[in-house]
């Protein structure tokens, strides 16, 4: 059911702009924003630090390692290869698990952390850790994975799951957790429709957005107690909530919501422009803002405390399903975008990048440039 992650991404199309805020911004302000000429920044030319030829398929890079072993994971023929960020030196390699190499790999199908990378396959997941052999973990029987998940601070792996076996109960969407060799059901939402977006952890438990088709719900645990609350707005975007302390920031198809997980209450909500498809979002530590990027290229910064809109702009249209690290980077054709303090800044690459994925480590950006793993100075 790898296609399940896109089932809930129906895009709202509206003929006229709607008001930005449920409580604040006016329709006039939105009209000015959406009608003003797009001002694309002038791209600069980056310098190549190192380049290492790879054999397809294109995959990665995904950040792995820290300190002197900081680097990223790429695909190189029949192997997954971990290369050091500073010079491209090979640190370790693992064989592609059977059936994994030819899958479609998006950013939502990989969990990348300094001490581990998790590949969410169709029938099992692969846990890759520095200095250890690849660990293949089969999924439970009686269901299918949506290939979206999270690795929590204890090393447990959370997974969005669809139960479809009558022997285990009626059809349902579930959140599963693998830990120390066992799978445990954390939450069950009976029904045939919908799906859980990728779960993630917070300081007192976990949280996930359940997409119902017509609306979405926030499900979370607080010290072992399970809670859920219907959110303002339409269906979800597929992107997991951003979290700061005990507050979750959720973007649906038409609303942005801040929710206090500790108190179980909504702090504020703001309506988003119709049809703008705000997909990826995150809390920007450089600007202390909540940044949202539309597949149509529009981006906006919200004040996390109030939801008030700040800086806004536009890039070339593109679809992302995740951001890696901070500052965020991504590519389209021969352009690299670095999401810095001021605004997303483009750099012209010497050749087209393979895929949208890239990662910023220290002072360089790692990416697939043609058929080569490459580090550039943006």
């Amino acid at each position: 059911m790898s296609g399940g992650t896109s089932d809930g991404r129906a895009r709202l199309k509206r003929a006229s702009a709607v008001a930005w805020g449920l409580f604040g911004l006016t329709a006039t302000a939105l009209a000015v924003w959406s009608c003003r000429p797009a001002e694309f920044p002038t791209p600069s030319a980056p310098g190549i630090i190192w380049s290492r030829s790879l054999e397809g398929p294109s995959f990665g890079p995904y950040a792995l390692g820290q300190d002197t072993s900081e680097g990223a994971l790429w695909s190189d023929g029949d192997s997954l290869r971990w290369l050091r960020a500073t010079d491209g030196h090979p640190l370790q390699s693992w064989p592609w698990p059977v059936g994994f190499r030819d899958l479609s790999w998006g950013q939502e199908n990989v969990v990348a952390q300094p001490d581990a990378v998790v590949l969410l396959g169709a029938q099992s997941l692969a846990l890759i850790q520095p200095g250890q052999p690849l660990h293949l973990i089969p999924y439970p029987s009686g269901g299918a994975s949506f290939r979206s998940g999270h690795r929590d601070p204890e090393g447990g792996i959370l997974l969005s799951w669809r139960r479809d076996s009558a022997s285990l109960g009626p059809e349902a969407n579930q959140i599963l957790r693998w830990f120390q060799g066992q799978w445990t059901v954390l939450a069950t939402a009976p029904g045939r429709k919908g799906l859980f977006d990728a779960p993630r952890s917070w300081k007192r438990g976990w949280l996930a957005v359940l997409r119902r088709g017509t609306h979405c719900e926030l499900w979370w645990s607080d010290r072992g107690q399970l809670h859920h609350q219907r959110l303002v707005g339409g269906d979800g975007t597929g992107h997991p909530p951003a979290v700061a302390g005990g507050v979750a920031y959720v973007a649906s198809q038409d609303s942005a919501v801040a929710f206090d997980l500790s108190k179980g209450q909504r702090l504020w909500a703001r309506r988003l422009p119709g049809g703008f498809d705000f997909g990826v979002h995150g809390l920007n530590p450089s600007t202390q803002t909540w940044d949202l990027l539309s597949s149509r290229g529009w981006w906006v910064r919200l004040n996390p405390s109030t939801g008030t809109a700040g800086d806004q702009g536009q890039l070339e249209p593109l679809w992302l399903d995740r951001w890696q690290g901070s500052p965020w980077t991504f590519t389209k054709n021969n352009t690299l975008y670095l999401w810095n303090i001021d605004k997303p800044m483009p750099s012209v690459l010497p050749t087209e990048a393979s895929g949208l994925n890239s990662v910023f480590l220290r002072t360089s950006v790692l990416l697939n440039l043609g058929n080569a793993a490459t580090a550039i100075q943006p």
Side-chain angles (χ1 to χ4, degrees):
M1 189 181 281
S2 61
T5 54
S6 61
D7 292 345
R9 290 177 181 157
R11 300 180 179 179
L12 302 179
K13 307 297 180 184
R14 297 177 184 168
S16 59
V18 296
W20 252 102
L22 293 178
F23 313 106
L25 298 175
T26 65
T28 302
L30 174 59
V32 171
W33 173 52
S34 59
C35 294
R36 70 188 182 195
E39 297 179 359
F40 298 105
T42 302
S44 59
I48 294 179
I49 301 172
W50 58 262
S51 183
R52 182 184 180 90
S53 296
L54 298 174
E55 182 182 343
S58 177
F59 171 88
Y62 294 99
L64 178 64
Q66 48 197 335
D67 301 326
T68 58
S69 298
E70 187 177 45
L73 190 68
W74 275 273
S75 175
D76 188 10
D78 294 328
S79 299
L80 290 160
R81 199 171 301 280
W82 176 28
L83 303 180
R84 190 161 55 200
T86 54
D87 55 9
H89 179 75
L91 296 172
Q92 191 174 349
S93 63
W94 300 264
W96 269 107
V98 175
F100 273 63
R101 176 181 152 169
D102 296 327
L103 291 174
S104 174
W105 291 101
Q107 295 153 310
E108 65 183 354
N109 310 131
V110 180
V111 180
Q113 298 175 342
D115 63 338
V117 169
V118 180
L119 308 182
L120 300 164
Q123 306 297 328
S124 57
L125 64 85
L127 175 62
I128 298 171
Q129 295 176 286
Q132 299 185 27
L134 184 146
H135 187 192
L136 200 61
I137 302 170
Y139 296 140
S141 60
S145 166
F146 286 109
R147 298 185 64 203
S148 59
H150 171 74
R151 185 168 177 263
D152 63 30
E154 292 78 33
I157 299 172
L158 305 177
L159 184 71
S160 174
W161 182 256
R162 176 70 181 177
R163 186 179 67 193
D164 58 17
S165 174
S167 62
L168 299 175
E171 291 180 276
N173 293 296
Q174 295 181 313
I175 297 295
L176 307 184
R177 182 177 188 252
W178 177 88
F179 186 64
Q180 296 182 344
Q182 291 187 329
W183 286 101
T184 303
V185 177
L186 299 182
T188 299
R192 295 184 177 183
K193 295 183 178 180
L195 73 155
F196 276 110
D197 284 335
R200 62 166 303 168
S201 55
W202 69 294
K203 61 183 181 180
R204 284 164 33 180
W206 60 268
L207 69 152
V209 172
L210 175 63
R211 287 191 273 165
R212 293 288 197 180
T214 58
H215 67 280
C216 54
E217 300 169 1
L218 181 64
W219 288 55
W220 77 101
S221 69
D222 188 351
R223 296 193 175 109
Q225 297 297 312
L226 183 63
H227 307 273
H228 56 88
Q229 176 74 43
R230 180 167 175 157
L231 294 174
V232 171
D235 200 10
T237 65
H239 195 283
V243 179
V247 179
Y249 298 89
V250 183
S252 73
Q253 289 288 357
D254 63 8
S255 298
V257 182
F259 192 91
D260 191 321
L261 299 168
S262 303
K263 298 179 180 179
Q265 64 184 26
R266 191 181 69 192
L267 298 178
W268 55 260
R270 292 289 181 268
R271 187 169 295 280
L272 298 174
F276 273 51
D277 295 334
F278 280 93
V280 293
H281 60 89
L283 295 168
N284 190 334
S286 299
T287 57
Q288 300 297 305
T289 55
W290 181 21
D291 294 2
L292 299 93
L293 174 64
S294 162
S295 62
R296 299 189 179 189
W298 291 100
W299 59 271
V300 63
R301 284 177 169 152
L302 302 182
N303 184 317
S305 300
T306 63
T308 304
D311 293 337
Q312 304 160 5
Q314 188 180 18
L315 311 174
E316 294 291 337
L318 77 168
W319 176 261
L320 298 173
D321 52 29
R322 292 292 186 274
W323 268 328
Q324 278 199 84
S326 181
W328 306 305
T329 64
F330 49 91
T331 58
K332 183 177 182 181
N333 301 327
N334 68 330
T335 303
L336 167 73
Y337 290 97
L338 175 64
W339 201 280
N340 65 2
I341 295 177
D342 180 26
K343 55 188 174 182
M345 293 299 296
S347 297
V348 176
L349 301 171
T351 186
E352 284 199 6
S354 302
L356 299 172
N357 209 36
S358 59
V359 60
F360 187 95
L361 293 177
R362 300 190 182 183
T363 60
S364 63
V365 176
L366 309 183
L367 71 161
N368 272 307
L369 203 57
N371 295 317
T374 306
I376 65 171
Q377 181 73 48

